[in-house]
Amino acid sequence: MVSLTTPYVSGFLAFREVPFLVELVQQLRKKEPSLMPQVLLVDGNGVLHHQGFGLACHLGVLTELPCIGVAKKLLQVDGLENNALHKEKIRLLLAGGDTFPLMGSSGTVLGMALKSHDHSTKPLYVSVGHKISLEVAVRLTHRCCRFRVPEPVRQADIRSREHIRRTLGRPGSPAAGQG
DNA sequence: GCGACAG
DNA sequence: ATCTTGTCGC
């Protein structure tokens, strides 16, 4: 359990969350190195970011592990907008695994919108964090999707909320910020 | 009031 | 993030 003190500011998510994530990886490296994952999926963006360096980039560099950014909403940077044209492109995604590139005004592909399964309305926004290609990042993310959100991220979400629900409801428990 | 808004 | 409303599938 950790207590977050840094406020959430869009564009600065890494400064709020990355110290705790790095600590978890280092604890695992020390105590159960055989369980060290070959790649991390992060609830947030990689290079799809105002400064081209989101949470998934920070975590990848600090842990030296391959890292994928998986966001549930489009971060509107470098001219990318969740506008009518974008929504039309989403509508044209037909089957799970379908994608379209997220091309910024600078001409760089910052990530891919991915329909994560056949009946999902909203896409995932996949971007490179560290030591992985966008193509592999998208394929791996898709293969982790039993539901819309990839299972590693989904389970982290479900289990952390369950832990908070258990913890917060009992006497003498510190309140916890949640990110 | 309006736009923007990773979590 | 959190909250609300509505729909669908089990």
Side-chain angles (χ1 to χ4, degrees):
Chain A
M1 173 69 89
V2 299
S3 296
L4 299 178
T5 51
T6 311
Y8 167 67
V9 181
S10 177
F12 298 89
L13 182 63
F15 297 94
R16 174 172 156 92
E17 301 197 353
V18 85
F20 305 103
L21 300 178
V22 170
E23 177 61 25
L24 286 174
V25 171
Q26 299 307 357
Q27 282 179 22
L28 187 63
R29 185 165 276 150
K30 184 177 179 183
K31 295 177 184 171
E32 292 287 350
S34 66
L35 299 182
M36 188 59 57
Q38 294 176 289
V39 58
L40 303 177
L41 275 79
V42 170
D43 196 343
N45 290 299
V47 300
L48 176 51
H49 181 265
H50 300 89
Q51 277 73 41
F53 209 79
L55 174 58
C57 301
H58 284 251
L59 185 60
V61 167
L62 294 173
T63 60
E64 300 184 310
L65 283 172
C67 209
I68 302 171
V70 183
K72 299 182 287 294
K73 298 175 188 170
L74 176 64
L75 185 58
Q76 304 188 146
V77 302
D78 194 18
L80 290 169
E81 279 187 283
N82 185 17
N83 55 17
L85 174 59
H86 182 80
K87 287 169 182 164
E88 176 62 15
K89 288 178 183 171
I90 291 173
R91 220 175 50 76
L92 294 176
L93 299 173
L94 299 181
D98 285 358
T99 62
F100 64 84
L102 302 166
M103 165 95 66
S105 303
S106 56
T108 316
V109 174
L110 298 176
M112 298 282 274
L114 167 68
K115 189 181 183 94
S116 58
H117 69 91
D118 288 349
H119 297 290
S120 180
T121 312
K122 297 174 62 169
L124 297 174
Y125 297 96
V126 178
S127 58
V128 167
H130 192 56
K131 286 186 171 179
I132 198 163
S133 70
L134 184 55
E135 291 69 27
V136 171
V138 167
R139 215 158 62 231
L140 186 63
T141 300
H142 177 43
R143 292 201 50 167
C144 288
C145 287
R146 183 172 163 177
F147 304 104
R148 177 181 173 242
V149 175
E151 211 56 19
V153 174
R154 184 170 167 269
Q155 287 301 320
D157 227 62
I158 291 171
R159 295 179 190 201
S160 60
R161 284 175 203 289
E162 167 63 16
H163 187 262
I164 288 169
R165 192 189 66 75
R166 237 176 35 224
T167 300
L168 212 58
R170 47 184 75 196
S173 312
Q178 179 57 12

